[in-house]
Amino acid sequence: MAIEHAILVSLLEQPGSGYELARRFERSIGYFWTATHQQIYRVLKRMENDGWVDVRAVVQQGRPDKKEYSVADLGRAALTSWLHDPIEPESVRHDLAVKIRGAAFDDPSALLREVERHRQAHADRLARYLAGEDRDFGGHTDGGSYGPEGAERELQHVVLRGGITYERMMIAWLDDVLATLHRFRAER
Amino acid sequence: MAIEHAILVSLLEQPGSGYELARRFERSIGYFWTATHQQIYRVLKRMENDGWVDVRAVVQQGRPDKKEYSVADLGRAALTSWLHDPIEPESVRHDLAVKIRGAAFDDPSALLREVERHRQAHADRLARYLAGEDRDFGGHTDGGSYGPEGAERELQHVVLRGGITYERMMIAWLDDVLATLHRFRAER
DNA sequence: TCTTGCTATGCACTTTGTTGCATAGGCAAG
DNA sequence: CTTGCCTATGCAACAAAGTGCATAGCAAGA
């Protein structure tokens, strides 16, 4: 099982609607898990049927009403049980690596541009992460915002540091790839 | 599209049977793409119907006969076309990161063991990668083996270096996670 | 008022991936 | 000669995920 647990964690950190969850999956949680809104609504419905979450209709002004979900006891229990279950170390899926090995059988120039694009995308993500880190975990104690505190905050931070480390690694590796491709092209 | 291209690249590097491909997906290609044999056989059949690959029955002694697949012109063209198509930077799926954020709502001791297990798994993988690097790309010119040469070899190497860099990063990050969890536990 | 855009929710279809099961040849050890 | 293991291929059922489409409230500006 999978996305259910990411949703449970997100709802424990902060109850919210499907729409809000979808937006969190574009940032924060999205650093290590992606999900479309269709998927989220579908899973939320199932979780509601299974009694994992409670729903509350929230009337809003100036925008459509929404359904706010929060974690029910059954959901909390399901999460705890999952947290105690060992999981397999993730298996990666790197299309780009396939392309790189495929470049041996093709003109490398197109790949060069592709790798540069990816490098840029990772540099952008890194910048976003660093901005987020400064905003949410920078030294300043923002009296106005009510973010999570203590352990919750520290654990969010260490996960974000993971994202930052990952992006830095990718950039370094893509530089290695670029250098290799340039060498390869020069040889022809 | 996805696994088709990984298979095409693998078959270009070296023709082989479904069984052999499945084993490559446990090593080499498996560093950045996973696939079960069921999946591979299914896709190979489709690729054969589409004329992407050619089949040749190979009679073997001491073991069951096999079907050796190699890339046909149509497959080669399909690969080239894919190589020239831009792809989206991969989206990650880190169950462990979900668990780490979930640990804020649970006893962290269980997670501590889990993270240590993962750290060990990554250290093991790193050791395997490094051994493979030494074997296949170490300075020695092994006159007896006929590995790929030139660009193909260099590109395989840079992908392997990516795997090595990734595992090193994961180990470093998991150490950070462990330290954070220890601190969290000490605070209680 | 018409269009654009954001909030908000959802269905239907298709593709992909996973799990379980089944078959079969041959080797080696007990 | 039976059991276990490796090679080798495949089907069927199911679960998960992605893609496309549809609806609707409300606001702001052209």
Side-chain angles (χ1 to χ4, degrees):
Chain A
M1 219 153 280
I3 196 186
E4 279 86 341
H5 304 110
I7 290 178
L8 286 171
V9 169
S10 192
L11 288 180
L12 277 173
E13 290 178 353
Q14 178 77 49
S17 67
Y19 188 79
E20 281 159 357
L21 281 170
R23 298 191 57 194
R24 288 184 211 168
F25 273 90
E26 285 167 7
R27 43 184 308 293
S28 179
I29 303 276
Y31 298 161
F32 48 88
W33 203 284
T34 54
T36 58
H37 74 270
Q38 291 92 334
Q39 218 180 329
I40 289 166
Y41 284 119
R42 196 197 302 155
V43 172
L44 274 176
K45 182 130 293 182
R46 184 167 68 235
M47 291 168 78
E48 190 190 336
N49 289 335
D50 293 349
W52 287 21
V53 290
D54 294 321
V55 204
R56 194 171 65 94
V58 175
V59 180
Q60 298 189 114
Q61 299 154 317
R63 50 175 64 181
D65 300 347
K66 67 175 180 180
K67 298 191 204 169
E68 194 180 78
Y69 290 88
S70 54
V71 179
D73 289 346
L74 271 174
R76 177 102 193 200
L79 181 68
T80 301
S81 151
W82 177 71
L83 286 174
H84 288 256
D85 266 2
I87 50 173
E88 289 302 303
E90 358 58 59
S91 49
V92 260
R93 280 288 156 90
H94 277 277
D95 297 66
L96 194 58
V98 179
K99 279 201 172 192
I100 290 164
R101 277 172 71 150
F105 311 99
D106 190 59
D107 171 49
S109 298
L111 184 62
L112 214 53
R113 284 190 297 277
E114 176 86 330
V115 173
E116 271 158 6
R117 264 196 342 111
H118 280 250
R119 193 197 181 285
Q120 187 58 49
H122 285 286
D124 290 348
R125 272 202 229 165
L126 176 60
R128 273 199 298 121
Y129 290 6
L130 287 173
E133 186 182 34
D134 185 55
R135 177 169 30 80
D136 299 334
F137 306 102
H140 61 87
T141 27
D142 182 347
S145 84
Y146 296 91
E149 43 185 89
E152 193 177 324
R153 183 179 154 88
E154 268 195 73
L155 292 171
Q156 286 179 9
H157 193 184
V158 79
V159 169
L160 178 56
R161 287 203 297 276
I164 290 168
T165 311
Y166 176 78
E167 298 304 331
R168 287 208 170 112
M169 176 222 68
M170 282 300 290
I171 290 168
W173 177 59
L174 290 176
D175 283 338
D176 184 8
V177 172
L178 285 172
T180 305
L181 286 172
H182 279 298
R183 226 180 313 127
F184 171 23
R185 200 168 59 162
E187 277 170 16
R188 300 175 107 209
Chain B
M1 218 156 279
I3 197 186
E4 280 86 341
H5 304 110
I7 289 178
L8 286 171
V9 169
S10 191
L11 288 179
L12 278 172
E13 290 177 352
Q14 178 77 49
S17 67
Y19 188 79
E20 281 159 356
L21 281 170
R23 297 192 58 195
R24 289 183 212 169
F25 274 90
E26 286 167 6
R27 42 183 307 292
S28 180
I29 303 276
Y31 298 160
F32 48 88
W33 203 282
T34 53
T36 60
H37 74 268
Q38 291 93 333
Q39 220 181 327
I40 289 165
Y41 284 119
R42 195 201 298 159
V43 172
L44 274 176
K45 182 130 295 182
R46 184 168 67 234
M47 290 169 80
E48 190 190 337
N49 289 335
D50 293 348
W52 287 22
V53 291
D54 295 321
V55 204
R56 193 170 66 92
V58 174
V59 180
Q60 298 190 113
Q61 299 154 318
R63 50 175 65 181
D65 299 347
K66 66 174 180 181
K67 297 192 205 169
E68 195 182 78
Y69 290 88
S70 53
V71 178
D73 290 345
L74 272 173
R76 177 103 192 199
L79 181 67
T80 302
S81 150
W82 177 70
L83 286 174
H84 287 256
D85 266 2
I87 50 173
E88 289 302 302
E90 357 58 59
S91 48
V92 260
R93 280 288 156 89
H94 278 275
D95 296 66
L96 194 58
V98 180
K99 279 201 172 193
I100 291 164
R101 277 173 71 152
F105 310 98
D106 191 61
D107 172 49
S109 298
L111 183 62
L112 215 53
R113 284 191 297 277
E114 176 86 329
V115 173
E116 271 158 6
R117 265 196 342 111
H118 280 250
R119 193 197 182 281
Q120 187 58 49
H122 285 286
D124 291 349
R125 272 202 229 165
L126 176 60
R128 274 198 297 119
Y129 290 6
L130 287 173
E133 185 182 34
D134 186 56
R135 178 169 31 77
D136 299 334
F137 305 101
H140 61 87
T141 28
D142 183 346
S145 83
Y146 297 92
E149 42 187 90
E152 192 177 324
R153 183 179 154 87
E154 267 195 74
L155 293 170
Q156 284 180 11
H157 193 184
V158 79
V159 169
L160 178 55
R161 286 202 297 276
I164 290 168
T165 311
Y166 175 77
E167 298 304 331
R168 288 208 171 111
M169 175 223 67
M170 283 300 292
I171 290 168
W173 177 59
L174 291 176
D175 283 338
D176 184 7
V177 172
L178 285 172
T180 305
L181 285 172
H182 279 298
R183 225 181 313 129
F184 171 23
R185 200 168 60 162
E187 275 169 19
R188 302 175 107 213

